[in-house]
């Protein structure tokens, strides 16, 4: 079934849209270019008040959502943030909050969730590729590198996948744990910050494990799916906005005595762009729906969305640049903000080729 | 109104299908096989007898009178079975759908049950030797003579007319008004004196295309569909049905159809790579995955657009997005097929001509889906003008009585 937002969800989405247009319009985004965190903590707390960080956490654990499981609500927030190329660690905080709510001990939940849900603290997800773990008595020693990690340098908590002799594990460690070195990276997006997180014989205790050992592989896959869905929703929002700006521009600008919008060559390109946009929206929603409902096809749909949306988003926005003419390649024009964001989203959490290979593995088996 | 839930209906359909319909074994039946249409008429008859023909058509005229979810559930259940899929397009999804919208009670009572029983196959007589994109510029004429119209002219590219029974035919009934206002849509019995049907050979060797020549064909006034001189309204709606049916978004088609052709269910490319022993080749793996992803995206787009249109949040012309997507998807899919086939697409052992030959010949025909049902360029015009509100193309024939409009060369 096609996902159709209900009245409550539409209201929720509009609230987020209004908030962003008042508190974080594009000039504010631009002004954050050199801010170390890329966002204002006050803004993030206000967003958290609107519900941005609590949607994937059940009410018993202090969260709450409009739809079952909350992912479809989160998608609406992500789309709005994409439309405004907004700052803030939306994907990592939600991924970690949901993982802690699902698999964390009572003590972990009490220690971590209130801060994440109120926006006082943030968390980073170190990705689905595990670092190495050596079992040492009841502790686990972590070594390796996770990079690029979104909000790694801002995070009070790091959720880390670990490969051990006994299989995959997950641990939640403090960002300032001894042996953890976090180095901020430069990056393409004006406000999205990444870091390199190095683990050098980091001692983690049993109390820092998340979830049962045997659930780790599935939990990590689920985290990847959520991260990708949020990212795809954000990209679709960015595509929509760039498309709208371009459609308007073509109507206003004239050459040879007629609006650019009246030239068939350009109309046809906008028709293709519209088709790509709607197709991207469709596969993103289908993927989100599959993850939200726990469908066995969730992994396949998420990878389909990642394979399709990434290249089509950047191609669409590059075409918007072309249709704007010279102004399109200036710093002054906002299009590059959209191009930055969608390029970053295209290549992180798995490139399109990486996700196509996941699909190929399903169709043809793994490469031996 | 039914009290049966979609799930209950699905279960009943599943049981009935297993009982009554032949299972597909191996390859898809060749839809161009000469006997195939006869087989499909019988399959349609079986659906009718089981009460599963025309699930979305009005109950009053022999259909199931059920919402699209029921038809979708039936189609999903029917995938392992041999279904009369060539009836979907054009008979059920386009022509019967248009009859539902515009037919009088008598017209519907006469034709819809017969269609659902597999007794009447329908085609469209729209394109003419002088042009197909500019459909409203058609030159076939129908002149009023008492209770009759007398038709003269020619239609072309009508698929499968030689094995079909009826057509919806657009003809000019008034030459003194601008082109859109002088057209009428007629129900025409194909095989009758005065209509000559000639088959045309296509690039893949098939003989699906036809050209018809009308020589003083008498058409009763009772066979006018819609109003006299208002045939453009009917034609426009017909085209909406066509885009939906070809794009996979029709509520009237049953079983695999349009957009489903390239949906995620199709394993043929992966199979080819496995048979070649090249399943480990990274490049080919990317191509197989790409084709699969395109199928999944197409399926999601069909859901988005059909749901958007049915809720009134998208204009009906959004069907052009489906038509364009499915046509461009097929183009890419054939390209991928060609790349996977390699030299096998050029020459094959006489003993195993089947698969390779079909694939490479189908590639020659690749643009067929980008032309039939309104070309990709026409879909792009529709999307940009009607969905995006961009300015319409200049038309030299606007507001000019049709007899004064300039015309160019015709084919043949
Ligand atoms: C497989 C197949 C099945 C078909 N089945 C049927 C059928 O059952 N019944 C029937 O009546 N017809 C049928 N057709 C005909 C089909 O509808 C026409 O081929 C189509 O509408 C194009 O018309 P044309 O061939 O006259 O090309 P033209 O209209 O002459 O167009 C030639 C080229 O010019 C482009 N073009 C034309 N006008 C414009 C414009 N305004 N802007 C931009 N580009 C333009 C077209 O896109 C095309 O590329 C079928 C065609 C095919 C290929």
């Amino acid at each position: 079934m096609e996902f159709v937002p209900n009245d409550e969800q539409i209201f929720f989405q509009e609230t987020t849209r209004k908030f962003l247009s008042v508190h974080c319009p594009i000039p504010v985004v631009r002004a954050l270019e050199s801010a170390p965190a890329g966002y204002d903590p006050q803004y993030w707390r206000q967003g958290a008040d609107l519900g941005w960080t609590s949607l994937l956490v059940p009410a018993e654990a202090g969260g709450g959502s409009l739809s079952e499981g909350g992912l479809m609500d989160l998608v609406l927030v992500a789309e709005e943030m994409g439309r405004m190329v907004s700052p803030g660690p939306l994907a990592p905080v939600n991924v970690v909050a949901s993982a802690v709510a699902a698999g964390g001990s009572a003590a972990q939940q009490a220690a971590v969730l209130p801060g994440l849900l109120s926006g006082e603290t943030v968390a980073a997800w170190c990705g689905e590729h595990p670092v190495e773990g050596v079992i040492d008595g009841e502790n686990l020693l972590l070594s390796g590198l996770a990079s690029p990690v979104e909000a790694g340098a801002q995070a009070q908590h790091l959720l880390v996948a670990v490969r051990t002799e006994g299989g995959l594990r997950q641990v939640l460690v403090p960002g300032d744990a001894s042996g953890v070195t976090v180095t901020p990276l430069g990056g393409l997006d004006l406000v999205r910050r990444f870091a390199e997180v190095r683990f050098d014989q980091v001692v983690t205790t049993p109390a820092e494990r998340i979830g049962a050992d045997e659930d780790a592989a599935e939990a990590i896959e689920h985290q990847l799916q959520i991260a990708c869905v949020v990212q795809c929703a954000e990209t679709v929002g960015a595509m929509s906005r760039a498309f709208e700006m371009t459609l308007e521009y073509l109507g206003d600008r004239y050459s040879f005595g007629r609006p650019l919008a009246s030239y068939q060559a350009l109309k046809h390109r906008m028709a293709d762009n519209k088709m790509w946009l709607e197709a991207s929206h469709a596969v993103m929603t289908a993927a989100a729906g599959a993850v939200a409902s726990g469908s066995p096809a969730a992994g396949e749909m998420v990878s389909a969305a990642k394979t399709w949306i990434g290249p089509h988003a950047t191609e669409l926005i590059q075409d918007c640049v072309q249709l704007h003419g010279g102004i399109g390649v200036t710093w002054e024009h906002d299009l590059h903000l959209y191009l930055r964001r969608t390029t970053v989203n295209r290549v992180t959490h798995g490139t399109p080729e990486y996700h196509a290979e996941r699909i190929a593995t399903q169709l043809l088996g793994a490469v031996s | 109104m039914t009290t049966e839930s979609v799930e209950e209906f699905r279960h009943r359909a599943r049981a009935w299908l297993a009982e009554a319909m032949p299972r597909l074994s191996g390859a898809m039946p060749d839809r161009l096989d000469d006997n195939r249409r006869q087989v499909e008429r019988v399959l349609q008859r079986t659906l009718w007898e089981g009460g599963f023909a025309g699930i979305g058509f009005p109950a009053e005229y022999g259909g199931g009178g059920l919402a699209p979810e029921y038809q979708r559930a039936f189609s999903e259940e029917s995938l392992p079975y041999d279904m009369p899929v060539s009836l979907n397009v054009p008979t059920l999804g386009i022509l019967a759908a248009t009859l539902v919208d515009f037919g009088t009670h008598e017209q519907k009572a006469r034709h819809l049950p017969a269609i659902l029983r597999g007794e009447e196959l329908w085609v469209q007589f729209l394109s003419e030797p002088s042009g197909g994109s500019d459909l409203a510029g058609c030159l076939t004429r129908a002149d009023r003579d008492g209770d009759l119209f007398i038709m003269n002219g020619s239609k072309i590219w009508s698929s499968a007319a030689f094995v079909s029974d009826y057509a919806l035919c657009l003809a000019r009934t008034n030459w003194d008004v601008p082109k859109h206002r002088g057209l009428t849509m007629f129900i025409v019995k194909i095989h009758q004196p005065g209509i000559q049907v000639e088959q045309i050979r296509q690039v893949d060797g098939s003989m699906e295309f036809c050209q018809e020549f009308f020589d003083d064909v008498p058409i009763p006034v009772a066979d006018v569909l819609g109003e006299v001189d208002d045939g453009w309204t009917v034609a426009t709606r017909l085209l909406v049905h066509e885009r939906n049916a070809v794009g996979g978004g029709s509520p009237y088609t049953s079983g695999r159809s349009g957009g489903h052709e390239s949906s995620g269910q199709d394993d043929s490319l992966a199979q080819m790579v496995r048979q070649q022993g090249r399943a480990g080749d990274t490049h080919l793996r990317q191509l197989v995955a790409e084709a699969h992803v395109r199928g999944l995206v197409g399926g999601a787009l069909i859901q988005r657009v059909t749901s958007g249109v049915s809720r009134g949040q998208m204009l009906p012309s959004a069907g052009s997005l489906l038509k364009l997507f499915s046509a461009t998807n097929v183009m890419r899919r054939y390209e991928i097929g060609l790349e996977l086939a390699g030299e096998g697409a050029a020459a094959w052992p006489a003993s195993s001509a089947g698969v390779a030959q079909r694939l490479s010949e189908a590639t020659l025909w690749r643009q067929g889906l980008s032309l039939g049902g309104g070309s990709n360029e026409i879909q792009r015009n529709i999307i940009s003008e009607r969905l995006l509100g961009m300015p319409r193309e200049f038309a030299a024939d606007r507001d000019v009585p049709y007899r004064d409009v300039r015309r160019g060369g015709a084919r043949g």
Side-chain angles (χ1 to χ4, degrees):
Chain A
M1 283 308 269
E2 172 67 14
F3 162 65
V4 181
N6 61 29
D7 289 347
E8 246 186 326
Q9 286 173 312
I10 290 170
F11 180 76
F12 172 65
Q13 182 174 18
E14 280 167 1
T15 309
T16 289
R17 181 177 294 202
K18 259 182 241 147
F19 171 80
L20 289 173
S21 68
V22 173
H23 295 276
C24 204
I26 302 276
V28 172
V29 175
R30 285 175 175 269
L32 288 163
E33 187 197 348
S34 49
Y39 63 90
D40 171 4
Q42 165 76 7
Y43 151 89
W44 187 246
R45 281 192 299 271
Q46 286 173 316
D49 282 345
L50 295 178
W52 295 356
T53 55
S54 29
L55 296 165
L56 303 187
V57 175
E60 309 84 80
S65 59
L66 304 171
S67 65
E68 176 82 28
L71 186 59
M72 303 316 284
D73 311 331
L74 183 58
V75 158
L76 300 175
V77 175
E79 275 185 60
E80 291 307 319
M81 294 181 77
R83 291 177 61 85
M84 299 293 279
V85 282
S86 309
L90 186 72
V93 167
N94 277 287
V95 166
V96 176
S98 126
V100 171
S105 65
Q108 282 170 321
Q109 296 197 4
V112 174
L113 288 181
L116 293 184
L117 299 192
S118 68
E120 289 300 328
T121 57
V122 304
W125 180 57
C126 292
E128 84 274 24
H129 299 298
V131 299
E132 295 304 322
V134 174
I135 297 169
D136 176 25
E138 56 174 20
N139 291 340
L140 200 52
L141 302 184
L142 317 187
S143 296
L145 176 72
S147 179
V149 175
E150 183 180 348
Q154 288 73 46
Q156 284 78 13
H157 315 282
L158 304 171
L159 179 59
V160 192
V162 191
R163 191 199 334 269
T164 72
E165 296 178 336
L168 289 171
R169 302 284 183 268
Q170 285 212 280
V171 296
L172 187 72
V173 298
D176 57 3
S178 146
V180 172
T181 316
V182 180
T183 315
L185 299 170
L188 192 64
D189 196 282
L190 291 192
V191 294
R192 177 155 294 166
R193 301 288 179 255
F194 291 92
E196 186 184 275
V197 182
R198 198 171 283 283
F199 299 88
D200 185 15
Q201 300 285 320
V202 177
V203 180
T204 64
T205 65
E208 291 177 310
R209 303 281 169 81
I210 291 271
D213 291 351
E214 64 276 15
D215 295 340
E218 204 178 307
I220 295 166
E221 169 67 23
H222 187 61
Q223 289 152 20
L224 173 68
Q225 292 175 6
I226 293 173
C228 290
V229 163
V230 171
Q231 189 186 51
C232 288
E234 193 188 63
T235 294
V236 167
M239 289 169 88
S240 319
R241 186 69 200 112
F243 180 85
E244 288 165 15
M245 282 159 52
T246 306
L247 186 59
E248 201 180 306
Y249 187 76
L250 293 177
D252 291 344
R253 191 163 173 90
Y254 277 59
S255 81
F256 301 94
R258 49 192 266 211
L260 292 177
S262 69
Y263 288 97
Q264 193 182 49
L266 309 190
K267 285 162 67 180
H268 282 193
R269 274 163 50 195
M270 287 303 276
D272 283 341
N273 286 332
K274 172 73 174 168
M275 176 176 73
W276 291 349
L277 171 60
E278 292 299 333
S280 298
H281 208 142
V283 70
M284 179 276 286
T285 328
V291 176
S293 66
S295 156
E300 180 187 6
M301 287 309 298
V302 165
S303 284
K306 276 288 284 175
T307 307
W308 172 268
I309 294 175
H312 283 93
T314 46
E315 207 47 47
L316 181 146
I317 299 175
Q318 295 284 18
D319 201 40
C320 292
V321 170
Q322 176 69 16
L323 293 169
H324 271 77
I327 190 80
V329 287
T330 62
W331 185 269
E332 170 198 342
H333 201 279
D334 291 337
L335 274 172
H336 71 102
L337 304 185
Y338 292 85
L339 201 47
R340 286 168 191 276
R341 178 63 54 89
T342 53
T343 303
V344 166
N345 283 350
R346 169 179 168 163
V347 297
T348 50
H349 301 317
T351 60
E353 295 71 26
Y354 173 83
H355 284 276
E357 175 53 36
R358 275 169 48 106
I359 301 250
T361 300
Q362 182 183 322
L363 298 173
L364 293 166
V367 186
S368 44
Chain B
M1 273 325 281
T2 177
T3 50
E4 193 179 20
S5 73
V6 176
E7 280 316 297
E8 288 162 351
F9 175 82
R10 181 192 291 279
H11 276 101
R12 190 160 63 79
R14 187 179 300 162
W16 180 82
L17 280 159
E19 186 94 336
M21 295 299 275
R23 259 188 182 274
L24 278 174
S25 51
M28 288 303 208
D30 182 354
R31 69 180 179 89
L32 299 179
D33 183 314
D34 281 348
N35 298 321
R36 181 63 196 165
R37 288 226 164 60
Q38 203 41 47
V39 171
E40 297 211 352
R41 283 181 192 249
V42 174
L43 290 172
Q44 181 66 29
R45 175 87 202 184
T46 310
L47 289 179
W48 166 273
E49 282 162 359
F52 289 104
I55 291 164
F57 282 91
E60 190 185 357
Y61 302 109
L66 296 173
E69 299 87 84
Y70 291 83
Q71 178 59 68
R72 206 167 322 137
F74 186 83
S75 293
E76 283 163 15
E77 294 300 324
S78 77
L79 292 178
Y81 299 93
D82 193 8
M83 288 278 291
V85 285
S86 61
L87 266 75
N88 281 336
V89 178
T91 301
L92 293 169
I94 306 177
L95 298 150
T98 308
L99 270 179
V100 169
D101 292 344
F102 293 99
T104 61
H105 171 67
E106 286 71 26
Q107 288 169 340
K108 289 195 268 202
R110 182 158 154 230
H111 294 293
L112 287 176
I115 289 173
L116 297 181
R117 285 195 299 267
E119 288 161 12
E120 290 182 7
L121 298 187
W122 284 57
V123 294
Q124 15 185 4
F125 287 175
L126 302 175
S127 305
E128 299 195 358
S130 56
S133 298
D134 183 11
L135 179 56
C138 80
L139 299 177
T140 290
R141 62 189 304 145
D143 299 299
R144 183 80 183 245
D145 181 8
D147 285 345
L148 295 176
F149 280 90
I150 305 299
M151 190 176 284
N152 281 286
S154 176
K155 293 288 177 177
I156 195 167
W157 318 133
S158 31
S159 307
F162 66 109
V163 284
S164 301
D165 308 290
Y166 284 89
L168 284 183
C169 180
L170 191 65
R172 190 163 303 280
T173 39
N174 187 343
W175 297 72
D176 299 323
V177 290
K179 65 177 180 180
H180 293 103
R181 284 189 257 140
L183 299 166
T184 303
M185 190 69 89
F186 294 95
I187 298 172
V188 175
K189 189 170 175 357
I190 299 174
H191 301 288
Q192 60 167 302
I195 301 186
Q196 190 191 332
V197 181
E198 285 181 4
Q199 287 176 257
I200 300 171
R201 187 166 191 199
Q202 295 189 24
V203 283
D204 60 356
S206 71
M207 301 291 286
E208 282 283 288
F209 268 166
C210 295
Q211 180 167 10
E212 300 77 28
F213 300 91
F214 308 112
D215 184 11
D216 285 338
V217 182
I219 318 261
V221 170
D223 285 343
V224 168
L225 185 65
E227 302 298 322
V228 172
D229 287 351
D230 192 30
W232 186 244
T233 303
V234 184
T236 314
R237 181 66 69 79
L238 181 152
L239 295 176
V240 168
H241 285 305
E242 171 154 37
R243 278 170 226 133
N244 277 323
V246 176
S250 169
Y252 295 120
T253 57
S254 193
R256 209 177 280 274
S257 72
H260 293 129
E261 211 168 317
S262 53
S263 81
Q265 321 259 358
D266 180 359
D267 187 37
S268 59
L269 297 179
Q271 233 170 327
M272 182 175 0
V273 170
R274 263 190 248 111
Q275 274 162 8
Q276 295 168 341
R278 297 199 290 168
D281 181 309
T282 335
H283 176 58
L284 301 189
R285 291 170 71 81
Q286 288 284 314
L287 292 177
V288 169
E290 183 194 337
H292 186 76
V293 165
R294 285 174 168 271
L296 294 174
V297 175
L301 183 62
I302 289 171
Q303 292 226 343
R304 178 171 172 80
V305 171
T306 44
S307 154
V309 171
S310 73
R311 286 178 297 111
Q313 296 207 329
M314 283 188 195
L315 296 170
S317 39
S320 288
L321 293 168
L322 299 183
K323 169 75 171 64
L324 182 61
F325 191 91
S326 121
T328 48
N329 226 7
V330 163
M331 287 164 62
R332 178 67 188 138
R333 195 180 168 79
Y334 280 150
E335 273 309 293
I336 290 174
L338 196 57
E339 191 161 349
L340 297 183
E343 288 178 333
W348 42 78
S351 57
S352 66
V355 181
Q357 181 174 2
R358 256 209 303 278
L359 177 104
S360 13
E361 284 177 352
T363 306
L364 301 182
W365 190 85
R366 197 189 79 175
Q367 297 305 116
L369 284 173
S370 294
L371 289 165
S375 69
N376 290 356
E377 289 73 27
I378 294 300
Q379 306 309 324
R380 290 184 175 109
N381 282 350
I382 294 172
I383 294 167
S384 56
E385 293 175 6
R386 309 225 190 116
L387 286 186
L388 302 179
M390 299 173 89
R392 300 196 57 159
E393 288 301 296
F394 167 75
D397 56 3
R398 193 165 291 164
D399 302 327
V400 180
Y402 198 67
R403 60 171 80 256
D404 301 331
V405 170
R406 282 181 62 173
R407 293 187 274 275
R411 172 205 178 267

